[in-house]
Amino acid sequence: MDISLAAIMSIIALVIVVVISCVNEDLNVGFLSIAFAIIVGGFWGDTIGTKVLGYFPTGLFMILVGVTFLFGMAQTNGTMEKLTAYSVRLCKGNTAIVPLIVFLLTTFIVTIGPGNIAGTALMAPVAMAIATRINMPALLMTLLVVGAANGAAFSPFAPTGIISNGIIAKMAPELGITAEQLSSLAWKIHFNSEVAQGFVNIGGFFVLGGWAWIQKQRGQALDIDELAPRPEPFNKHQILTLLAVFILILLVILPGLPATKGLFSQAMMNILANVGTIAFILAGVLMLTGSGDSKAAIKVIPWGVIMMVCGVTVLIEVMDKAGGLNALVKLIGAISNPTTINGVLGFVTGLLSAYSSSSGVVMPMFLPMVPGLIQEVGGGNPIALISSINIGAHLVDTSPLSTLGALCIACAGEHEDKAKLFRNLLMWGLAMSVVGGIVCYIFFGILGF
């Protein structure tokens, strides 16, 4: 395989970025990626630095900022906390259905927009406190919370889903995907994630003692006010915030439906260009009505992750133009065929994500390879390959090395042996790279999801 010096240097730069992201969490590899992209592009790619900076995905950056800013206001004004508290009370003290309530509630919270990290940060304290009260092992509750959060992470409203869909939109012409198909494609990828994450984590819950725990709880009940105290009613600002979230969901879904074609004017369609434009407008309404604290919301925006995604994307763009991406595609293609490629991607992305950022490093690195991989192995379903990368990268996030796993350990009850919980979650998380490969192979290679 002939490979240019520029391609080799771009691959070396990417490897350095991935290694550093694995061993030093305090260093934001997004900024480092941009620096490497300028050096590689200038010395070996004959590309001026200003052109390299032009590769920065401004559109993706603005969408992520808009959505996370809106939900930052919903989080900091207490709306999401009250919504969670009221939802937990749906179990009415029936402890046996608490696992179902927690899983569905986490799924709902993450799906409507905050994302898997913010959703877990919101749910982990509540879920772990409930686990202590009803004598459920923290390991089982962690599988429910993290599994639901990562399953719903690819919602078109959530940051991780926005990252995935932004990269897909960029390579859509190569995959033969039209602009009209992108919306339904986003929901299909979200569905695949929900099914795979649910299968693995709910299965793990039952196998590791969840079924036995539920059997013991049958017929038992607790005072709901003791389990989950009734919160204060929503105030007018929180009601307006809930209305803004509802409008966001409505305006993202409606324009893509065949039945609503022609319902919106061209001017309205310009405004409703994507979830980011709608989020900025709704955030503006909340600011002007005094319903949201913009300073507090800015502080909870995940700037580090956003810059990681955008910075690595710049390096991947330089790598693609230098021929490095094609070289990696050929390498993966050499050990795969149209059926096994899904399992290979699920395993490799899981292995890297166990030590690196799933959405900040692994997804921007692997998703752009999809068109080339389909060509290299002589076939394959692009949705299946995309889902294998996304699911493989996130199944391992139950590990305490990830933000989600760490949040759950931090919120576990005082009676829990946290060292043991750390070891158990680490073993589970690392095992998920293998499990992810098998699940992606069966679901997308054999069953053809």
Side-chain angles (χ1 to χ4, degrees):
M1 178 175 63
D2 292 331
I3 180 168
S4 67
L5 180 59
I8 293 171
M9 297 309 297
S10 67
I11 293 172
I12 291 174
L14 182 64
V15 169
I16 293 172
V17 165
V18 171
V19 170
I20 289 176
S21 72
C22 293
V23 300
N24 188 346
E25 292 183 1
D26 296 327
L27 194 154
N28 190 302
V29 294
F31 292 95
L32 187 64
S33 295
I34 294 173
F36 281 172
I38 294 169
I39 293 169
V40 172
F43 277 107
W44 297 283
D46 195 27
T47 307
I48 191 169
T50 50
K51 186 173 182 180
V52 172
L53 293 179
Y55 297 151
F56 189 88
T58 306
L60 177 60
F61 176 84
M62 293 303 293
I63 292 172
L64 287 169
V65 170
V67 171
T68 53
F69 179 62
L70 173 63
F71 281 96
M73 283 197 280
Q75 184 179 337
T76 54
N77 72 5
T79 302
M80 302 307 294
E81 187 178 346
K82 281 187 183 177
L83 180 62
T84 301
Y86 275 114
S87 301
V88 167
R89 292 175 61 86
L90 292 174
C91 71
K92 298 185 183 300
N94 184 348
T95 55
I97 66 169
V98 166
L100 177 64
I101 295 292
V102 168
F103 190 88
L104 292 179
L105 176 57
T106 306
T107 298
F108 174 74
I109 293 292
V110 174
T111 298
I112 62 174
N116 53 350
I117 295 176
T120 301
L122 187 69
M123 283 299 300
V126 177
M128 288 304 176
I130 291 174
T132 299
R133 183 67 186 85
I134 61 179
N135 296 315
M136 177 189 287
L139 173 64
L140 298 183
M141 187 59 85
T142 300
L143 294 184
L144 292 174
V145 172
V146 177
N150 278 330
F154 289 92
S155 157
F157 312 111
T160 305
I162 292 168
I163 292 166
S164 173
N165 296 332
I167 298 171
I168 293 167
K170 190 174 179 181
M171 59 187 183
E174 295 178 79
L175 296 172
I177 298 170
T178 65
E180 291 75 22
Q181 293 173 317
L182 284 173
S183 178
S184 59
L185 176 64
W187 286 109
K188 171 61 176 169
I189 290 168
H190 178 221
F191 173 78
N192 287 350
S193 174
E194 292 276 18
V195 171
Q197 289 278 358
F199 175 79
V200 172
N201 287 286
I202 294 175
F205 171 83
F206 284 130
V207 169
L208 296 179
W211 180 250
W213 181 88
I214 289 174
Q215 293 297 103
K216 287 181 182 177
Q217 301 300 313
R218 284 191 172 178
Q220 296 190 30
L222 292 172
D223 181 356
I224 187 60
D225 289 319
E226 184 182 348
L227 182 63
R230 181 186 293 274
E232 291 291 322
F234 289 104
N235 61 39
K236 64 179 182 180
H237 295 305
Q238 292 164 340
I239 291 172
L240 184 58
T241 303
L242 287 173
L243 181 62
V245 172
F246 176 73
I247 292 172
L248 174 74
I249 295 170
L250 208 61
L251 292 181
V252 168
I253 294 174
L254 282 182
L257 298 177
T260 62
K261 233 173 186 179
L263 183 65
F264 298 96
S265 67
Q266 185 58 51
M268 276 298 293
M269 290 303 293
N270 291 342
I271 292 172
L272 307 179
N274 57 50
V275 65
T277 59
I278 303 167
F280 271 114
I281 293 171
L282 293 172
V285 172
L286 294 184
M287 290 168 64
L288 292 173
T289 56
S291 301
D293 185 340
S294 59
K295 288 185 179 179
I298 288 170
K299 289 178 182 178
V300 299
I301 292 176
W303 294 109
V305 174
I306 292 174
M307 278 308 302
M308 256 195 285
V309 172
C310 295
V312 172
T313 299
V314 172
L315 179 56
I316 293 296
E317 188 70 28
V318 170
M319 186 177 167
D320 184 26
K321 297 189 183 306
L325 195 63
N326 187 52
L328 286 183
V329 164
K330 288 186 178 297
L331 186 63
I332 295 174
I335 58 171
S336 311
N337 61 45
T339 303
T340 62
I341 184 64
N342 300 292
V344 171
L345 288 174
F347 171 70
V348 174
T349 54
L351 202 59
L352 286 176
S353 291
Y355 306 99
S356 186
S357 171
S358 304
S359 55
V361 175
V362 178
M363 283 169 50
M365 175 181 172
F366 280 88
L367 285 176
M369 296 184 192
V370 169
L373 284 171
I374 292 174
Q375 187 176 356
E376 187 66 26
V377 300
N381 183 333
I383 299 176
L385 267 67
I386 290 165
S387 294
S388 296
I389 291 168
N390 291 345
I391 292 164
H394 285 80
L395 267 177
V396 300
D397 283 349
T398 315
S399 161
L401 302 178
S402 79
T403 304
L404 307 192
L407 280 169
C408 290
I409 289 180
C411 296
E414 292 299 322
H415 69 288
E416 290 281 351
D417 183 343
K418 294 196 177 183
K420 182 180 178 181
L421 179 59
F422 182 95
R423 289 194 301 272
N424 288 339
L425 286 176
L426 184 61
M427 287 189 290
W428 173 271
L430 294 178
M432 287 303 101
S433 59
V434 177
V435 172
I438 295 170
V439 167
C440 290
Y441 171 70
I442 294 173
F443 276 36
F444 307 117
I446 303 298
L447 300 180
F449 262 68

